[in-house]
Amino acid sequence: MSKKYIATPSRTKELLDKYGFAFKKSLGQNFLIDVNVLENIIQQAGITKETGAIEVGPGMGALTEQLAIHADKVVAFEIDQRLLPILKETLTDYANVEVIHHDILEANVEEVIRTHFRENQDIHIVANLPYYITTPILMKLIRDRLPVTSLTVMIQKEVADRMAAVPNTKSYGSLSIAVQYYTEASVVLNVPKQVFMPQPNVDSSVLKLVMRKEPPVQVDNEDFFFELIQASFAQRRKTLRNNLNRFLQDKLEKQQIEALLEKAAIDGTRRGETLTMEEFASLANVIYRSVTGCENPASRNE
């Protein structure tokens, strides 16, 4: 039965030959050719006949087809115009699929959701993302606070590990905290190179991000919170104190920074990778209130 699916080596080669399609390295094109892996992704994503699905970069439609089989409605964003006629052929049997020729980074996804899905429908983003632009795409989708339940994405294993990392690990950093501020992150599947055409040079993982209704910590100013975190990891081998002295040199004296570290009950000799999100939030709030002279901010994001 699986022979008729798009996600087989023979069907993929057949389509490549028919359309004279050449992979573009600049678009990070690696097509999935294993139906079992796709079905596993669908299961991990929680796709059912009641749910809507948004896909980024459908390629020839291998994942799109499986989403169409299992979901109520599928909307796929494809940037490469050369793939549109291929998708028209491969997805012709699926009336519940809409392909939009648009760069996801420039798209108004919220408007697309309002247009193509039922009100209050459970929607999941599912994608085999181009590895060269994974982080900008994911950060846009999660920071836009879209009305979606989760994102389940195939990405480079190293990046997936960083996004799901916990404190005191090599992978933990500012990206881990940025992602986990908005979502609950977990690596749900590791995928071998052999299931792609062409095979990528790196290992892959499927990362699941479940959107949070509220961030796990309260911060007075989100922009400052993330700036402080990035500064704390600017030089990983240096202490928190050293990184903060550099970050705040135009705003605070060293002794003031030391006093604020004490006020937040954080040892300045620690490194950024040892701090939890809660500790970063506490430190950010203490420093932000000192710098702005605002001890009791009316809004945590103003």
Side-chain angles (χ1 to χ4, degrees):
M1 171 132 183
S2 64
K3 285 183 181 176
K4 69 179 183 182
Y5 289 145
I6 301 162
T8 63
S10 58
R11 179 70 173 133
T12 303
K13 284 175 184 171
E14 179 189 318
L15 289 164
L16 289 171
D17 293 342
K18 179 176 178 179
Y19 288 90
F21 185 85
F23 294 99
K24 271 191 180 176
K25 268 193 175 181
S26 63
L27 294 178
Q29 291 169 328
N30 301 92
F31 299 157
L32 281 157
I33 53 172
D34 189 306
V35 175
N36 292 328
V37 170
L38 291 172
E39 288 180 339
N40 203 337
I41 294 172
I42 300 285
Q43 185 178 1
Q44 295 290 348
I47 299 296
T48 71
K49 277 296 181 186
E50 297 300 312
T51 60
I54 295 173
E55 186 185 7
V56 181
M60 290 185 170
L63 176 57
T64 326
E65 178 179 51
Q66 297 304 317
L67 286 169
I69 291 168
H70 294 90
D72 171 52
K73 176 74 184 282
V74 184
V75 174
F77 289 89
E78 179 52 62
I79 194 173
D80 190 348
Q81 190 166 358
R82 301 173 305 151
L83 287 164
L84 300 183
I86 304 178
L87 288 164
K88 189 173 181 181
E89 176 186 335
T90 57
L91 302 173
T92 188
D93 293 336
Y94 304 102
N96 62 339
V97 176
E98 182 83 28
V99 177
I100 297 176
H101 180 217
H102 209 319
D103 182 349
I104 190 68
L105 289 173
E106 297 174 4
N108 185 337
V109 183
E110 190 162 0
E111 185 180 319
V112 168
I113 290 171
R114 282 197 303 269
T115 304
H116 293 281
F117 297 100
R118 299 193 309 270
E119 192 174 351
N120 298 321
Q121 186 167 17
D122 190 21
I123 299 167
H124 301 270
I125 296 174
V126 189
N128 171 25
L129 289 178
Y131 293 174
Y132 77 101
I133 201 167
T134 293
T135 301
I137 290 175
L138 283 180
M139 291 313 297
K140 170 191 163 53
L141 293 173
I142 64 178
R143 292 194 77 170
D144 283 355
R145 290 185 164 99
L146 298 168
V148 299
T149 302
S150 71
L151 301 87
T152 303
V153 291
M154 175 92 71
I155 61 177
Q156 184 176 339
K157 184 180 187 302
E158 180 188 347
V159 178
D161 289 343
R162 284 170 58 204
M163 289 184 174
V166 296
N168 292 301
T169 61
K170 187 180 176 184
S171 298
Y172 183 69
S174 56
L175 182 61
S176 318
I177 301 168
V179 169
Q180 291 170 41
Y181 180 80
Y182 297 100
T183 74
E184 294 179 50
S186 59
V187 176
V188 295
L189 191 66
N190 291 317
V191 181
K193 299 174 185 178
Q194 291 76 16
V195 303
F196 295 94
M197 182 184 295
Q199 289 186 23
N201 297 321
V202 296
D203 292 323
S204 305
S205 293
V206 176
L207 178 76
K208 183 167 185 178
L209 304 173
V210 179
M211 296 299 295
R212 296 184 188 272
K213 287 185 171 60
E214 290 288 335
V217 294
Q218 288 205 342
V219 294
D220 296 340
N221 183 285
E222 284 183 357
D223 289 339
F224 183 78
F225 172 63
F226 289 123
E227 285 170 15
L228 178 132
I229 289 166
Q230 285 196 312
S232 300
F233 287 97
Q235 293 179 281
R236 286 185 73 98
R237 295 177 66 85
K238 289 196 177 288
T239 65
L240 184 63
R241 180 189 292 118
N242 284 341
N243 279 324
L244 289 181
N245 284 338
R246 181 185 291 251
F247 171 54
L248 297 165
Q249 60 186 346
D250 297 330
K251 297 182 178 73
L252 296 169
E253 299 292 332
K254 287 184 178 180
Q255 60 267 32
Q256 291 176 298
I257 294 171
E258 194 63 43
L260 292 171
L261 281 164
E262 285 184 24
K263 188 174 180 180
I266 293 172
D267 183 349
T269 63
R270 292 169 63 185
R271 291 178 179 169
E273 66 198 46
T274 70
L275 270 69
T276 64
M277 192 188 308
E278 290 75 18
E279 288 177 309
F280 272 120
S282 173
L283 182 60
N285 289 343
V286 165
I287 294 175
Y288 182 75
R289 291 167 195 176
S290 174
V291 169
T292 60
C294 182
E295 283 301 320
N296 294 296
S299 169
R300 63 195 173 103
N301 292 322
E302 283 182 357

